[in-house]
Amino acid sequence: MPIASPEVYAEMLDRAKAGAFAYPAINVTSSQSLNAALRGFAEAESDGIIQVSTGGAEYLSGPTVKNMVTGAVALATYAHEVAKNFPVNIALHTDHCPKDKLDGYVRPLLAISKERVGRGEAPLFQSHMWDGSAVPLDENLDIAAELLAEAAAAHVVLEIEVGVVGGEEDGVENAINHKLYTTVEDGLAMVDKLGLGEKGRYMAALTFGNVHGVYKPGNVKLRPEILKEIQDAVGARAGKDKPLALVFHGGSGSLLSEIREALDYGVVKMNIDTDTQYAFTRPVVEHMFKNYDGVLKIDGEVGNKKLYDPRAWGKSAEAGMAQRISQACEDLRSTGTTLSK
C-alpha cells in the first residue's frame, strides 16, 4: 500500500478511537529502522505511524550536514517508495518540535506539502507535532492555532502538547513535577481556541504523568483517569462522546493495564522510541560479541567479510525491532485492524 492519503489517515484515526485501539508511532533515524517499522506493522497486520524527530532528521541528512528539512524530506521520499511493497497503510509524522525549531523544521515542511497539494499531489507528511510544553499555555495555543490553519491548508493533521512530558528527548528536557498532569481547564482552553475539527484536524498529547526515556514502573505515577475527566468535560460541552483524539507520549515502562486504560479514554497514537532503539541495538551487540574475531582484523588476520558486512548484523537489528513493534501492536490492540484487509 502507498503512504496513507489524508482521507485514509482520517479513517485510521476515526477507527482507532471508535475501536479503543491505538497505532504505535515509531521513531526512525535510518532506512534500516524505517524498514524494520514497515516489517513490524506488516507482520502484525496493523496500519501504523512512522515518525522522525528534529534530531533524527538532522542525523538522516548526514551527521556533518545536520539539516532537518533535508533529512525529513529524504526519509519521506524513501518511505513513499518502499511502503508500496507492504500490505498496510502508513502515515508519516514529525515528532516533538519546540518553538525555536519551528521555522527550521515544521513550517518549511508544511510549505512543501502545501505546494504538493496545490499540484494535486498528496502532502509529504500526514501530520506534524508542535511541542509548546515549554511556553505558557496561551502562547502555546496561539501558535497552535496559526499552525492548525497552515496544516489544514496542506491537508495535514496537527499534533499539539498541552501539559508537560517529563524527562529528556532530543535535547528537550522537562522536570518531573505537577506540570506532568494536564488539567480539565487546560483541555477546555485548548478546545475554545482550536475547536473540534471545524478549524482543522488535530490530535492532543495531554499529559497524565508521562516521562520520556527509560524508567521502571512505579517511579512516575501515571493517572490515565485524567484523560477521561478531560474527555467528559469537553464532551459535555460539545454533546459528543470522546470528542478528542489523544496521544500517549513517554510510555516506556508503563504497565499494560495503564496503556489499555488510556486507549479506552481516546488515545489513538502512542509514541514508542526507547524500547525500539534497544530492540534494534540488542541483536547487534549479540552479533559483535559472538563474532568478535570475525568482525575485527586481529593479529594480522583479515577477519570474516560475511560477519562484518553491515547487512549481516543489520538484518538481525531490523528483525529485533520489527518483533518489538509487533508486540506494541498487540499491546495497543491494533493487531489485525489494517484497513487493507
Side-chain angles (χ1 to χ4, degrees):
M1 298 292 290
I3 296 297
S5 67
E7 294 76 18
V8 167
Y9 192 29
E11 186 176 356
M12 285 169 56
L13 298 177
D14 288 342
R15 291 178 73 245
K17 188 165 64 169
F21 66 88
Y23 300 105
I26 307 301
N27 283 72
V28 301
T29 55
S30 66
S31 60
Q32 282 188 306
S33 50
L34 171 68
N35 288 337
L38 291 170
R39 174 179 172 179
F41 286 125
E43 290 178 350
E45 296 185 326
S46 170
D47 299 326
I49 299 170
I50 292 176
Q51 60 190 26
V52 58
S53 65
T54 55
E58 281 189 346
Y59 180 78
L60 278 156
S61 74
T64 62
V65 176
K66 295 185 177 182
N67 185 301
M68 293 181 288
V69 173
T70 296
V73 170
L75 175 81
T77 302
Y78 180 82
H80 274 266
E81 189 61 36
V82 297
K84 295 175 184 178
N85 298 304
F86 291 85
V88 290
N89 298 287
I90 299 296
L92 300 177
H93 176 81
T94 60
D95 200 11
H96 291 270
C97 183
K99 180 181 176 181
D100 64 340
K101 294 185 177 180
L102 282 174
D103 288 343
Y105 195 45
V106 167
R107 288 194 175 105
L109 292 174
L110 279 172
I112 290 171
S113 285
K114 188 175 180 180
E115 290 177 3
R116 287 169 60 97
V117 168
R119 298 193 299 266
E121 302 172 12
L124 187 64
F125 282 82
Q126 286 62 61
S127 51
H128 295 290
M129 183 189 177
W130 148 236
D131 183 354
S133 61
V135 302
L137 181 62
D138 287 347
E139 183 181 2
N140 180 355
L141 296 179
D142 284 344
I143 294 173
E146 174 192 334
L147 291 171
L148 184 61
E150 294 181 39
H155 299 177
V156 168
V157 176
L158 183 68
E159 179 185 331
I160 70 167
E161 184 170 311
V162 176
V164 172
V165 176
E168 186 272 336
E169 182 176 54
D170 269 357
V172 178
E173 186 169 359
N174 290 306
I176 298 175
N177 55 33
H178 68 282
K179 293 183 180 180
L180 299 186
Y181 304 96
T182 307
T183 66
V184 169
E185 292 73 22
D186 294 339
L188 292 172
M190 174 186 72
V191 173
D192 287 341
K193 188 74 174 183
L194 304 181
L196 285 172
E198 67 275 11
K199 298 180 181 180
R201 184 155 191 157
Y202 68 94
M203 297 180 284
L206 306 182
T207 57
F208 51 101
N210 321 53
V211 174
H212 286 133
V214 182
Y215 68 93
K216 295 180 179 179
N219 285 12
V220 176
K221 176 61 177 174
L222 288 177
R223 295 174 54 202
E225 67 273 11
I226 285 176
L227 303 181
K228 183 178 188 303
E229 293 170 2
I230 296 172
Q231 287 277 32
D232 288 349
V234 174
R237 178 185 289 184
K240 297 180 181 179
D241 180 46
K242 292 194 299 187
L244 299 172
L246 303 180
V247 180
F248 187 161
H249 285 247
S252 298
S254 300
L255 299 174
L256 182 58
S257 60
E258 295 170 334
I259 293 173
R260 294 277 174 86
E261 185 179 356
L263 302 183
D264 291 338
Y265 300 150
V267 165
V268 298
K269 172 179 180 280
M270 180 174 172
N271 289 15
I272 300 174
D273 187 17
T274 303
D275 289 353
T276 47
Q277 286 179 344
Y278 183 77
F280 186 90
T281 301
R282 180 64 180 80
V284 179
V285 174
E286 183 175 4
H287 177 88
M288 298 304 174
F289 280 172
K290 285 185 175 180
N291 301 292
Y292 74 93
D293 54 343
V295 299
L296 297 176
K297 296 182 178 181
I298 299 173
D299 296 330
E301 296 297 327
V302 296
N304 185 334
K305 183 181 183 301
K306 291 183 178 180
L307 295 176
Y308 61 73
D309 183 336
R311 290 171 293 183
W313 49 264
K315 290 176 183 177
S316 298
E318 290 183 29
M321 183 172 169
Q323 183 178 18
R324 180 62 183 84
I325 292 168
S326 293
Q327 178 191 329
C329 292
E330 186 67 27
D331 291 346
L332 299 183
R333 303 176 180 149
S334 72
T335 301
T337 64
T338 178
L339 287 168
S340 64
K341 293 184 69 175

